[in-house]
Amino acid sequence: MARITAGVGCSHVPAIGVAMDSGITKQSYWEPVFEGFEKSREWMKAQKADVVFLVYNDHCTVFDATCIPTFALGCAPEFAPADEGWGPRPVPVVKNHQRLASHIAHSLILDEFDITIMNEMEVDHGLTVPMSVMFGDKGIDDEWPCLVIPLCVNVVQYPAPTGNRCYNLGKAIRRAVDSFDEDLNVVVFGTGGMSHQLQYKRAGLINKEWDTQFLNRLTSDHVALSQTPHIDYLREAGSEGVEMVMWHVMRGALDDDVEEIHRHYHVPASNTAVGHIILENKKDQKAKI
Amino acid sequence: MGLNKDYEDIPGTFVFDADRGREGYQLNQFCISLRKAPNREAFGADEGAYLDKYKMTEEQRQAVIDRDWNQLLELGGNIYYTSKLAANDGINFQQLAGLMTGMGNEAYRAMMIAGGRSPEGNRYQHEWDEKGEE
Ligand SMILES: [Fe+2]
């Protein structure tokens, strides 16, 4: 049977992708950002994931304002990196586990999550940057080491889905994966954040304390954390900090009982606080030993 | 009962809700069109003719021509859309923030390296009013 064994929370700042693509990760500005992912890349390799279920948002790249789905599940065979205005990122095309994606779509809708099904889709930095930080440099002719099922969440037009809704969607994704008949190791990524505001006169807002308590509570106080109202994100973590609701999808897909394996936090990458955490189901850790 | 827009008292911030989305629709659709290279070329060749294709208001159109980044947001633009116009002009997110905050690129970048803008005194509109900020 397919099983979800671990979760990754991770910012997806576009400038991180630009830094990797232009080979400046050793510069003093960027070095501390990437150092924190060295352990993560080793962990990712050892994890031998067959599939990454990747929760992210599109940044008015592939989805324009004509149609704004709250939850859009990638069911296409593959997803090419999109041109965001300065050419597509030179990273591999993302390949789907299409049969599992179809199974999840079917299961979620019967579980009363009325998601949108995407049979064609390109992906922006929201998806490709987490792939790059977790798997390292890959060129256009390389392949990502595992398959990816994208779940695209609207966090651009207010309101984003509530943290509670995201958390419960994570639980429904878990039920869907658990009922799939192939033996697969699935890791869930929740991406975005942490505190940042990109717009208007308050741009540049960073709230390290708030981010830290978010990371602290994710392991054992996750249910109460998922009840955080939108206004708290907007006021405390910046208008774009509301992206963090996507981390609750990841947390909901894990067991209640998890262990924090790794954490990284750094300010700034461009306008943003970079946050990252790795959580493992304790049950699956025992199974490994 | 009306919707409670409890986010309207955050200073220096526009929350891009459905009302703003409606107001800014044509403007935002214009901005996102610049994601594609052929459109960037057409816009560069004749801005006026290109803008004619979008039924935005006179004010919105003028804000585009003036590259008045804050005005674009005031008129229903969203940062992820207006950033496509900025990218067309060779301006990245951080440089755009330098412009929108009025700090300029260097001071803004220095603030970020020093840990960013603190939430202290920046949570409520009345805190800005008391400081005499707009
Ligand atoms: Fe994002």
Side-chain angles (χ1 to χ4, degrees), chain A residues 12 57 59 243:
Chain A
H12 58 220
N57 69 285
H59 303 78
E243 286 188 342

Side-chain angles (χ1 to χ4, degrees), chain A residues 12-14 57-59 125-126 155 191-193 196 240 243 246, chain B residues 80:
Chain A
H12 58 220
V13 186
N57 69 285
D58 181 80
H59 303 78
H125 69 265
V155 295
T191 74
H196 67 304
E240 279 64 59
E243 286 188 342
M246 294 183 287
Chain B
Y80 291 115

